């Protein structure tokens, strides 16, 4: 669904894609998974019209979603402009919090807030970007904030500076990363991005990992003309997005590369 919303499109239907270990888990578990997907699809205003199920060693669930958008109004990650501000609509860190929960080390009970964020549709963010008009957008998922930003930078042939102190992060994620509670995917993202991101002196490894954290159902990362940034932030607030934070700026230097500074300069 987030892929559809990030392009300014309207979802129209979905298919279930399910892998389930029927020898290890009872059918009531599968029923709850399918019911949760159906409830979220209903919230998005669409129907699940079918699907595919296979037997797997662990449960896997997702949706294949079809959406529609007029070609002249489609938003992509390839049309960002130098000078644009970058706006993020959900805090990051859910991958770190999820890892803490999986290891039974979520002593702050942060997983409840992380689940609420993951279950929040990006429909409101889509409504806002359509109302205001933006240059580019993407959803933030497995490649992390800096990984999905890199995709925008490469496709649009621009560079970026991220203001670390402006990036919204789940408070528990900051503490858990210091305890080594980091997903393998987040470490993989950090290793890959080492050739594409310059971290300002004083930005510690733990802070770098948070920016690379592999997200599930993260927010939208939006490139908007600075003259429209205030209007976008206001509209995102009106549409009820979890956050509406200006976290950086695009530039014409070093296309495809980003720099992380401690604060806005």
């Amino acid at each position: 669904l987030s892929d559809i919303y990030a392009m300014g499109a309207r979802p129209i239907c979905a298919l279930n894609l399910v892998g389930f270990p029927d020898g290890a888990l009872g059918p009531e578990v599968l029923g709850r998974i399918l019911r949760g997907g159906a409830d979220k699809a209903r919230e998005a205003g669409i129907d699940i019209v079918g699907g595919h199920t296979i037997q797997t060693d662990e449960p896997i669930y997702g949706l294949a979603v079809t959406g529609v958008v007029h070609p002249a109004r489609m938003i992509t990650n390839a049309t960002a402009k130098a000078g644009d501000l970058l706006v993020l609509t959900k805090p990051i860190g859910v991958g770190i919090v999820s890892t803490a929960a999986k290891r039974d080390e979520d002593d702050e009970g942060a997983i409840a807030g992380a689940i609420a964020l993951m279950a929040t549709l990006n429909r409101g963010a889509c409504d806002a970007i359509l109302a205001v008009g933006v240059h580019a957008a993407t959803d933030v998922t497995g490649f992390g904030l800096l990984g999905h930003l890199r995709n925008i930078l490469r496709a649009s042939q621009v560079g970026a500076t991220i203001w670390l102190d402006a990036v919204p992060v789940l408070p528990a994620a900051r503490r858990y990363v210091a305890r080594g509670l980091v997903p393998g995917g987040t470490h993989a993202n950090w290793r890959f991005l080492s050739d594409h991101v310059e971290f300002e002196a004083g930005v510690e490894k733990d802070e770098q990992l948070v920016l690379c954290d592999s997200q599930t159902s993260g927010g939208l990362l939006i490139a908007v003309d600075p003259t429209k940034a205030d209007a976008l932030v206001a509209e995102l607030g009106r549409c009820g997005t979890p956050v509406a934070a200006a976290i950086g700026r695009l530039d014409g230097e070093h296309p495809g590369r980003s720099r992380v500074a401690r604060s806005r300069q």
Side-chain angles (χ1 to χ4, degrees):
L1 282 165
S2 292
D3 290 322
I4 300 294
Y5 291 136
M7 299 186 75
R10 176 175 59 86
I12 57 174
C13 66
L15 295 173
N16 278 326
L17 299 174
V18 184
F20 195 72
D22 56 5
L25 296 172
E28 69 280 357
V29 176
L30 178 58
R32 291 176 64 188
I33 292 171
L34 295 176
R35 186 161 55 251
D39 289 347
K40 193 53 58 174
R42 190 176 302 111
E43 182 183 337
I46 65 174
D47 291 320
I48 296 177
V49 296
H52 305 278
T53 306
I54 60 172
Q55 186 169 344
T56 54
D57 293 333
E58 60 184 20
I60 301 168
Y61 178 78
L63 297 176
V65 185
T66 298
V68 292
V69 63
H70 191 287
R73 294 193 295 271
M74 184 167 60
I75 300 167
T76 77
N77 67 357
T79 47
K81 309 293 183 186
D84 282 352
L85 286 177
L86 291 167
V87 176
L88 184 65
T89 67
K90 287 186 185 182
I92 59 175
V94 298
I96 293 166
V97 170
S98 297
T99 293
K102 291 173 186 176
R103 298 181 186 176
D104 292 325
E105 295 189 48
D106 178 25
D107 44 38
E108 299 184 30
I111 190 61
I115 289 172
L117 280 174
M118 290 186 280
T120 299
L121 293 177
N122 281 310
R123 180 172 56 184
C126 179
D127 291 342
I129 64 178
L130 291 175
V132 173
V134 304
H135 286 153
T138 185
D139 61 321
V140 178
T141 52
F143 296 143
L145 174 62
L146 291 182
H148 287 280
L149 172 62
R150 173 183 175 270
N151 290 343
I152 290 179
L153 303 184
R154 290 192 68 197
S156 300
Q157 284 300 288
V158 292
T161 298
I162 294 296
W163 309 313
L164 177 63
D165 290 345
V167 177
V169 179
L170 292 175
R174 298 184 190 275
R175 294 185 283 271
Y176 290 164
V177 72
R179 290 162 47 185
L181 300 171
V182 181
T186 297
H187 282 296
N189 289 341
W190 181 84
R191 290 191 296 270
F192 175 79
L193 290 165
S194 62
D195 291 334
H196 306 279
V197 181
E198 175 190 349
F199 293 99
E200 184 181 77
V203 177
E204 302 295 333
K205 172 73 175 292
D206 287 352
E207 297 172 309
Q208 297 174 24
L209 284 169
V210 171
L211 295 178
C212 299
D213 188 36
S214 181
Q215 305 296 281
T216 297
S217 187
L220 298 192
L221 178 62
I222 305 159
V224 61
D225 189 292
T227 63
K228 295 184 175 181
D230 288 344
L232 176 63
V233 169
E235 188 66 16
L236 288 168
R238 191 188 69 78
C239 292
T241 61
V243 298
I247 64 167
R249 186 184 300 274
L250 301 182
D251 58 62
E253 304 174 14
H254 310 296
R257 297 185 59 83
S258 56
R259 171 177 172 267
V260 176
R262 172 64 60 183
S263 58
R264 188 168 183 168
Q265 299 171 351

